[in-house]
Amino acid sequence: MRNAALLGLDWGTSSLRAYLFDQDGKVLDERRSECGIMALPAPREQDGFPLALEQICGDWLKTNTSLPVLACGMVGSQQGWKEAAYFDCPADPKVLAQSLTEVLFGAGRKVHIVPGLIMRGDYPDVMRGEETQIVGAMGLASAASDHATIVLPGTHSKWARLDKGIISEFTTFMTGEVFAALSQNTILSRLITSAEGAQSVRDQAFQRGLEIAGKPESGGLLSAIFRTRTLGLTEQVPGFALADFLSGLLIGYEIHGVQEKFQKDAALYLIGDEKLVARYVKALAIKGFQSTVLKDATQFGLWRIACAAGLVP
Amino acid sequence: MRNAALLGLDWGTSSLRAYLFDQDGKVLDERRSECGIMALPAPREQDGFPLALEQICGDWLKTNTSLPVLACGMVGSQQGWKEAAYFDCPADPKVLAQSLTEVLFGAGRKVHIVPGLIMRGDYPDVMRGEETQIVGAMGLASAASDHATIVLPGTHSKWARLDKGIISEFTTFMTGEVFAALSQNTILSRLITSAEGAQSVRDQAFQRGLEIAGKPESGGLLSAIFRTRTLGLTEQVPGFALADFLSGLLIGYEIHGVQEKFQKDAALYLIGDEKLVARYVKALAIKGFQSTVLKDATQFGLWRIACAAGLVP
C-alpha cells in the first residue's frame, strides 16, 4: 500500500478497528480485532497498546514508515493508552483537531488521539469516540453541519445538536444499558422469554411500548416499565414479545426526554449498529419524525480530523 | 396464651412474621423467621409450608387448637402455599375479606389466605401483601378511609388511592429495584463508593437529585441518571454521596410520575421500613407535600380482615 496516507484507529472498550486511507480519504483496507482497551494482548504496563497495534497492522506501519496514525475512542480515556483531556462543548471541529494528544511508540513514531467532549454546568455530560462520528456525519451530510440533530443509539445513546458547523450541545441517555439491566437483573426478566414468535406480534408490542412512553397515565418510566410484568401476567403480551415492549417503552422515553430538552424542527441523522438504528428509525417515524441513516461516519470523521490537524496533506 | 383469638401471618418472599392477637385485636406476641416462601425448611412438595409454620409457632397452635389462622403476602402467589386469585380493584375491604382462599394443614386445620389486588385495563397492575397494609392504614387513620393516598415505599413502591372506604386505584413504581440494578449492574456503580462522608454533603446530593427530577432540562430519567456518573467525574458530588444523589433522583421521578397521574390534594400516609420511609418523608416535604407515617399497618390489617371475614367474634 505505497499510496497510503493515514492509519485511522477506532479503539473502543471491546474492539479495535483499523482503517488505511489513501491521499483522497478513500479506505484502501480495513481490519478488526477484539483487542479493545479492556482486552489487550498484554497489560498496559507491558506495552499492551503498542502490541495490539503491531498485531493488527504491523505490516502497514512497516511498509509506510512515515504513515501518520490517528486514534479515537476509549484509547484516550483514563484507562486507555494515554488520557486525552475532554474538549469543551460547544466545539468547533477545526479547533478540536488542533487539540490532539500524542503518545510515542516504536522508534519515535506517534499516535495522535482525538479528545472526547465535555458539557460543563449543572447537567454535565461526556462522550468519547462519538465526537469523531459526529464530525464524520457533518461531512457526509452537508445539511447536517448547518442545523441538525445527530442521534447515536447504543448502550449510552447520544443526541447531539449541530449549529452552523459547531457541535453546540449533546445529551446521553442510558437506554441500552438500562434495557440490559432491567431485562437481566430485575423481576422483569422472569416473564421475558427468548422463544420465537410472530414478528407482527413483536412489532405491535414495540409500538405499544412506544405509545405509552411519556403519557401521564403511564405514571412515568419507573411505573411504566412494570407493565412489562403485568401485561405478561394478564396475557395481553406474550413472553416472546415482552422484550420488544420494553425496548419500545425505553426508546419512547428517550425520544420524549429529547423532545422536552431540544428543539424539534431539526433534521435528524442516525449513526450506528444497523439493527438498532432500524429500530430507532421505526420509533422516530411512529413519533412523527423523519430521519436519515448515515454510514461509515467513524472512518470519515477520522479522515476529516486528520485533514484539519494537518496530518495529511 | 389461653386468651389468643387469631394467628396472623405476614408471609413474604424472604421472611415470615407471626402475630398472636387477643380478642380485642391486641398483639400478645410476635415472632419472625427467615422462612420466606423462597427459603422454606423443606421443598413445598415435602410440606415446606406447614413445616415453616410449625417451626415458628407450633406451640401457639398446640395450645390453642381452634385458633384461626390468616395469612397475607407472597404465600398466596403461584409460588406460594396455594394461589389466592387476585381480587379486582376498585376493592371494598369488606368484600375482599369474603374472598379468602383456604389451605388445609395438620389435622383438618385451615390457613386462610388474603388475595392480592389487580387493576385491569391498558395499564394493568398487581399487589400482594400491600392490600393488607392498606386495610390496616384505613383503620389506623380514620381520615384515610375517606379520601387519601397511601404510599408504601420499597423494592416495588405502591401508591394507592382511597375513596370513601374503597381502594379505588393503585400504581407500582419499581424505584427500589431500579436503584439496586443501576447502582450494582451498570457503569454508575464505578464511581459510587461506600466510603464514609459528611451527612450534610449526602443530604445535599439527595436534594439535588430530587430537584432535577422531572425538569425538562434533565432530559428525562434515562438521561438524568447518567448525571450520577458525570457529577462524579466533574467532582461536583463526591463518590460517597453519589448513591444519595441517585436515590433522590429516582424518588423524585416516582413523585413526579404520581403527580401526573393522581390528584394532588389528598392527604398522604406512609407505611414501611423506618429508614426508607424517613427518606420519603423528606423527599415529599421538599416537593411540598405533607405526609403522616403509620405504624403496624400489616398486623392491624390482618386483624381487620379477620374481623370482617368472621374468623374472630
Side-chain angles (χ1 to χ4, degrees):
Chain A
M1 304 282 185
R2 291 244 173 118
N3 55 340
L6 175 73
L7 171 57
L9 302 172
D10 173 14
W11 207 332
T13 303
S14 55
S15 73
L16 165 60
R17 279 193 169 79
Y19 303 97
L20 191 66
F21 296 88
D22 74 6
Q23 58 195 7
D24 300 318
K26 198 181 142 232
V27 174
L28 297 168
D29 203 353
E30 182 179 340
R31 292 178 188 167
R32 188 180 187 286
S33 96
E34 302 298 317
C35 294
I37 70 159
M38 293 304 182
L40 296 171
R44 52 178 293 166
E45 299 76 16
Q46 292 163 36
D47 290 331
F49 284 99
L51 270 176
L53 184 55
E54 171 68 25
Q55 283 182 5
I56 195 171
C57 54
D59 54 336
W60 295 349
L61 292 162
K62 202 173 170 187
T63 309
N64 305 272
T65 51
S66 61
L67 189 71
V69 186
L70 179 66
C72 70
M74 293 305 283
V75 68
S77 69
Q78 273 182 1
Q79 295 78 38
W81 196 342
K82 187 172 180 186
E83 189 173 3
Y86 288 113
F87 188 84
D88 275 44
C89 186
D92 181 335
K94 291 186 215 75
V95 187
L96 173 82
Q98 305 305 319
S99 310
L100 307 181
T101 292
E102 296 177 0
V103 60
L104 296 172
F105 76 100
R109 298 186 75 161
K110 288 176 193 164
V111 172
H112 302 266
I113 304 177
V114 181
L117 292 187
I118 189 165
M119 295 268 295
R120 301 191 189 273
D122 288 344
Y123 299 93
D125 213 325
V126 291
M127 63 165 63
R128 201 177 277 284
E130 292 93 347
E131 73 295 324
T132 303
Q133 296 180 280
I134 293 167
V135 174
M138 292 165 91
L140 286 167
S142 56
S145 283
D146 195 35
H147 183 54
T149 300
I150 311 279
V151 189
L152 304 102
T155 306
H156 295 171
S157 294
K158 308 281 182 185
W159 290 62
R161 275 184 52 77
L162 305 179
D163 285 298
K164 294 175 186 165
I166 304 290
I167 305 169
S168 55
E169 61 173 318
F170 66 90
T171 305
T172 300
F173 297 83
M174 287 181 63
T175 312
E177 195 166 15
V178 168
F179 176 81
L182 291 178
S183 57
Q184 289 163 22
N185 303 309
T186 72
I187 197 172
L188 302 185
S189 66
R190 294 204 203 150
L191 295 178
I192 294 174
T193 68
S194 55
E196 301 259 326
Q199 188 59 44
S200 61
V201 175
R202 296 184 53 185
D203 289 346
Q204 277 171 4
F206 180 75
Q207 181 152 351
R208 183 163 183 170
L210 258 179
E211 285 169 356
I212 287 176
K215 282 197 181 171
E217 57 267 39
S218 78
L221 182 66
L222 291 169
S223 180
I225 52 175
F226 193 60
R227 298 325 131 192
T228 312
R229 179 164 176 75
T230 57
L231 288 172
L233 281 177
T234 58
E235 297 177 353
Q236 293 188 54
V237 177
F240 71 80
L242 287 172
D244 296 276
F245 170 79
L246 182 60
S247 168
L249 192 62
L250 295 178
I251 293 174
Y253 267 103
E254 177 180 328
I255 296 170
H256 182 71
V258 173
Q259 280 183 274
E260 289 201 324
K261 184 163 182 171
F262 281 172
Q263 290 180 338
K264 297 173 208 171
D265 56 353
L268 283 173
Y269 294 90
L270 283 160
I271 304 170
D273 169 78
E274 200 170 335
K275 275 191 186 170
L276 186 60
V277 161
R279 210 167 252 271
Y280 273 70
V281 167
K282 199 155 85 182
L284 286 164
I286 292 169
K287 292 281 183 185
F289 295 97
Q290 278 203 313
S291 57
T292 305
V293 179
L294 301 177
K295 303 209 173 200
D296 304 326
T298 307
Q299 57 201 68
F300 196 47
L302 284 164
W303 175 256
R304 292 191 80 213
I305 291 170
C307 291
L311 293 177
V312 288
Chain B
M1 304 284 185
R2 292 246 174 115
N3 55 341
L6 174 72
L7 171 57
L9 302 172
D10 174 14
W11 207 332
T13 304
S14 56
S15 73
L16 165 60
R17 280 192 168 80
Y19 303 97
L20 191 65
F21 297 89
D22 74 7
Q23 58 197 8
D24 300 317
K26 197 180 141 234
V27 173
L28 296 169
D29 202 352
E30 181 179 341
R31 292 178 188 166
R32 187 181 188 285
S33 97
E34 302 299 318
C35 293
I37 70 158
M38 294 302 181
L40 297 170
R44 53 178 293 169
E45 298 76 16
Q46 291 164 37
D47 290 332
F49 284 98
L51 271 175
L53 184 56
E54 171 68 25
Q55 283 182 6
I56 195 171
C57 55
D59 54 336
W60 294 349
L61 291 164
K62 202 172 171 188
T63 309
N64 305 271
T65 50
S66 61
L67 189 70
V69 186
L70 179 65
C72 71
M74 293 305 282
V75 68
S77 69
Q78 272 182 2
Q79 296 78 39
W81 196 342
K82 186 171 180 186
E83 189 173 4
Y86 288 114
F87 188 84
D88 275 43
C89 186
D92 180 336
K94 290 186 217 75
V95 186
L96 175 80
Q98 306 305 319
S99 310
L100 307 181
T101 291
E102 297 177 359
V103 60
L104 296 172
F105 75 99
R109 297 186 76 161
K110 288 176 194 163
V111 173
H112 302 264
I113 304 176
V114 181
L117 293 187
I118 189 164
M119 294 268 296
R120 301 192 189 272
D122 288 344
Y123 298 93
D125 214 327
V126 290
M127 63 166 63
R128 200 177 276 286
E130 292 92 347
E131 74 295 325
T132 303
Q133 295 179 282
I134 293 168
V135 172
M138 291 165 92
L140 286 167
S142 56
S145 283
D146 196 35
H147 184 55
T149 300
I150 312 279
V151 188
L152 304 103
T155 306
H156 295 171
S157 293
K158 308 281 182 186
W159 289 62
R161 275 184 52 76
L162 306 178
D163 285 299
K164 294 174 185 164
I166 304 289
I167 306 169
S168 54
E169 61 173 317
F170 67 89
T171 305
T172 301
F173 297 83
M174 288 181 63
T175 312
E177 195 167 15
V178 168
F179 176 80
L182 291 178
S183 58
Q184 290 163 23
N185 302 311
T186 72
I187 197 172
L188 302 183
S189 66
R190 295 206 202 148
L191 296 177
I192 294 174
T193 69
S194 55
E196 300 259 327
Q199 188 60 44
S200 61
V201 176
R202 295 183 52 183
D203 289 346
Q204 277 170 4
F206 180 75
Q207 182 153 350
R208 183 164 182 170
L210 258 178
E211 285 170 354
I212 286 177
K215 282 196 180 172
E217 57 267 40
S218 78
L221 181 65
L222 291 169
S223 180
I225 53 175
F226 193 59
R227 300 323 131 194
T228 312
R229 178 163 177 77
T230 57
L231 288 172
L233 281 177
T234 58
E235 296 177 355
Q236 293 188 53
V237 177
F240 70 80
L242 287 173
D244 296 277
F245 170 78
L246 183 61
S247 167
L249 192 62
L250 294 178
I251 294 173
Y253 268 103
E254 177 180 330
I255 296 170
H256 182 71
V258 174
Q259 281 183 273
E260 288 200 324
K261 184 164 182 169
F262 281 173
Q263 291 180 339
K264 299 173 206 173
D265 56 353
L268 283 174
Y269 294 90
L270 282 160
I271 304 169
D273 170 77
E274 200 171 336
K275 275 192 185 169
L276 186 60
V277 161
R279 209 167 253 271
Y280 272 70
V281 167
K282 199 155 84 181
L284 287 164
I286 291 170
K287 292 281 183 185
F289 295 96
Q290 278 204 312
S291 58
T292 305
V293 179
L294 301 177
K295 302 207 175 200
D296 303 328
T298 307
Q299 58 201 67
F300 196 47
L302 283 165
W303 175 255
R304 292 190 80 214
I305 291 170
C307 292
L311 293 177
V312 290

